[in-house]
Amino acid sequence: MKIIIDDLNGPEIQALIAEHLRDMADSSPPESVHALDLSGLKKPEVTFWSVWEDGELLGCGALKQLDARHGELKSMRTASRHLRKGVARALVEHIIGEARRRGYERLSLETGSMESFFPAQRLYASFGFVECGPFASYVLDPNSLFMTKELA
């Protein structure tokens, strides 16, 4: 697996982001969808990575800087044909490493609270993320689960 910074201009990554947005819209009410679209992922405070193997896109993820000490894990997605192959685990590990290199003291995330999000919740918990309250501009939402990890 090769993890690279991606400019989001390739058709493969655009298709995966579109799939991600459709899936989030199908899984959550509109007011509870916090996934970033292409324009949101191209903002300067967001670093976006894609995961490739033998010329095939396996998945993606992003790190959004909230402030000088706090980052947010965003846009985690594994291509459906590559689920349960360690793609998400490798990407979370990579993003945690980058957050540490940047000197962040905390890394947080928002994911869904529904059953379809349980595998993601278990993955994040396996890295030491714990439930927390809303952070940044999020508000309490029964469809959201907020998690955080101390990095310092």
Side-chain angles (χ1 to χ4, degrees):
M1 268 184 265
K2 184 176 181 183
I3 300 173
I4 62 168
I5 292 179
D6 196 303
D7 63 10
L8 294 140
N9 290 325
E12 300 97 334
I13 198 62
Q14 290 183 5
L16 186 60
I17 294 300
E19 175 187 315
H20 180 60
L21 293 171
R22 279 191 307 274
D23 188 45
M24 295 302 99
D26 290 345
S27 301
S28 304
E31 67 276 7
S32 298
V33 175
H34 303 289
L36 296 174
D37 62 12
L38 287 171
S39 64
L41 290 168
K42 289 183 177 185
K43 291 194 173 180
E45 65 271 19
V46 177
T47 304
F48 184 86
W49 291 273
S50 56
V51 184
W52 298 83
E53 189 170 69
D54 299 325
E56 188 171 358
L57 177 62
L58 307 182
C60 63
L63 176 58
K64 179 179 180 183
Q65 181 172 322
L66 300 175
D67 63 43
R69 296 182 309 234
H70 191 185
E72 180 181 4
L73 184 66
K74 296 290 293 179
S75 301
M76 287 291 300
R77 184 70 179 197
T78 300
S80 54
R81 60 183 273 149
H82 296 290
L83 292 171
R84 291 177 256 316
K85 294 182 181 177
V87 175
R89 181 163 292 284
L91 198 47
V92 171
E93 192 171 89
H94 181 84
I95 292 172
I96 290 171
E98 178 61 23
R100 283 191 168 118
R101 278 189 290 284
R102 292 180 183 187
Y104 293 169
E105 296 172 3
R106 175 182 299 277
L107 186 59
S108 301
L109 63 92
E110 180 276 338
T111 189
S113 63
M114 295 76 79
E115 186 175 345
S116 62
F117 293 94
F118 288 179
Q121 294 172 21
R122 285 191 297 273
L123 171 71
Y124 301 135
S126 77
F127 278 96
F129 284 87
V130 295
E131 289 186 40
C132 66
F135 59 92
S137 61
Y138 293 106
V139 297
L140 277 176
D141 180 345
N143 298 300
S144 289
L145 176 72
F146 304 99
M147 301 180 84
T148 196
K149 176 180 176 63
E150 295 283 340
L151 300 176

